[in-house]
Amino acid sequence: MADKLKIALLQIAPTGTLEGNLAKGIRSCREAKEMGADMALFPEMFSCGYDIYDRPPAVWQQDALDAHGDFVTAFGKLAAELSMAIGITLLEQQDGPPRNTLVLFDRFGRRMLTYAKVHTCDFGAEHDLAGGDGFHTTVLDTAVGFVAVGAMICYDREFPESARLLMLQGAELVLVPNACPMEINRLSQLRARAYENMMAIATCNYPAGVPDCNGGSSLFDGVAYLPELEGSRDTCLLQAGEAEGIYVASLDLDMLRRYRAEEVHGNAYRRPALYGALLDTTVHPPFVRDDKKER
């Protein structure tokens, strides 16, 4: 029997308070475990419900939390109690501007990955966030064995380089906390990132009713072709509707690994010696933007 990793996408609305979000997050993780989940993922910046618009930076930055503080560590303890990996998201406090961060605990409650959003939306309120320092992959010990897991956050998915770097690090599964409308083009980006890198991509969004969000949490497994099928298959294993809820999908890791070992995408036939222009930091018209931050 193929190993199937059950991933719960916690498409839940924030409560308006840190204490409420903590309590609701814990309840949702417990419910996900009851549904058979091996892993649970929150939407973007759940600690504050991504409430950074329509408030001055000096106000919303006060919601930033220590990544080793009580809110985050509560989910580490819960992960160990439930024997379920948990990806919790927060507005992270640090020296200087805060960061938009995911902390991933394994089923033993060990902190395995801390990822801060690299491509902050500098054209909006996220201009006042600090960007992350790069993309990272960890090997997660799950109930169905070891899985190489990486992360992107929301706008990161719009850059092919994000997923490509994670693929080159060996990522089999990429977690994507999200807070925006998941319309056809953004869903197509996720489908493409999964297809071209032969990796699974799990995205968790807020439900409709949360400003600028509409649900649509999804899991794409990236497996486009199977020997027994004529033509291609739909790589979408799950696409939630707009409603609040916990959505669980099963990822067939054996099938994904066989596909990665045989198919033509990913790093099989790349020619990186010809890609030098990708390292050129010069921005030419029409892509020059006055609000782009220098990093």
Side-chain angles (χ1 to χ4, degrees):
M1 181 178 178
D3 288 337
K4 292 191 177 181
L5 182 70
K6 296 180 177 60
I7 305 169
L9 306 175
L10 308 183
Q11 186 171 289
I12 56 176
T15 66
T17 68
L18 177 65
E19 295 76 14
N21 291 344
L22 176 60
K24 187 170 185 177
I26 289 173
R27 288 197 307 271
S28 297
C29 286
R30 292 191 185 281
E31 184 176 342
K33 181 64 178 181
E34 291 173 359
M35 296 170 69
D38 303 306
M39 174 186 298
L41 178 64
F42 281 85
E44 184 176 8
M45 216 186 289
F46 185 72
S47 65
C48 67
Y50 199 78
D51 185 16
I52 65 173
Y53 283 87
D54 302 321
R55 294 197 296 163
V59 175
W60 61 256
Q61 287 182 351
Q62 294 179 26
D63 293 335
L65 303 176
D66 183 349
H68 292 270
D70 292 346
F71 179 85
V72 174
T73 58
F75 289 98
K77 294 174 183 175
L78 183 65
E81 177 192 335
L82 299 178
S83 190
M84 178 179 75
I86 297 176
I88 183 61
T89 58
L90 69 149
L91 177 64
E92 181 193 0
Q93 182 184 72
Q94 59 166 9
D95 292 336
R99 305 195 305 179
N100 183 342
T101 298
L102 164 75
V103 176
L104 177 62
F105 294 99
D106 72 4
R107 64 192 176 112
F108 304 105
R110 299 177 299 197
R111 187 181 301 247
M112 300 301 296
L113 180 69
T114 298
Y115 170 71
K117 187 176 185 176
V118 167
H119 299 100
T120 52
C121 299
D122 294 341
F123 44 82
E126 286 194 355
H127 187 85
D128 294 294
L129 290 174
D133 59 2
F135 294 94
H136 310 285
T137 301
T138 188
V139 176
L140 198 68
D141 185 345
T142 76
V144 296
F146 294 100
V147 185
V149 179
M152 306 184 289
I153 295 179
C154 202
Y155 189 46
D156 283 328
R157 78 174 172 273
E158 304 200 18
F159 297 86
E161 296 86 350
S162 306
R164 184 64 83 186
L165 285 167
L166 291 168
M167 179 275 292
L168 292 173
Q169 293 173 13
E172 300 171 296
L173 168 64
V174 176
L175 306 178
V176 188
N178 196 81
C180 71
M182 291 309 297
E183 41 76 48
I184 187 171
N185 297 298
R186 291 188 172 112
L187 288 165
S188 298
Q189 286 176 327
L190 294 167
R191 183 185 293 273
R193 299 294 90 84
Y195 170 73
E196 65 202 9
N197 292 295
M198 296 195 291
M199 58 170 51
I201 298 184
T203 302
C204 185
N205 196 30
Y206 287 105
V210 177
D212 206 33
C213 295
N214 67 340
S217 298
S218 62
L219 176 61
F220 293 91
D221 70 0
V223 179
Y225 309 105
L226 291 175
E228 64 269 25
L229 297 180
E230 182 177 349
S232 62
R233 65 183 281 275
D234 189 352
T235 64
C236 184
L237 302 183
L238 180 148
Q239 181 181 333
E242 295 187 347
E244 182 170 23
I246 297 171
Y247 298 87
V248 178
S250 296
L251 174 63
D252 189 331
L253 290 168
D254 282 354
M255 182 176 74
L256 175 61
R257 287 165 178 162
R258 288 194 301 270
Y259 182 76
R260 286 163 63 88
E262 298 168 356
E263 266 298 341
V264 302
H265 310 296
N267 200 24
Y269 297 98
R270 291 174 67 247
R271 299 183 65 190
L274 302 181
Y275 305 158
L278 291 174
L279 300 178
D280 185 357
T281 59
T282 305
V283 180
H284 300 282
F287 302 114
V288 176
R289 302 291 186 271
D290 292 338
D291 53 8
K292 181 182 179 183
K293 293 170 68 173
E294 296 300 324
R295 303 191 188 278

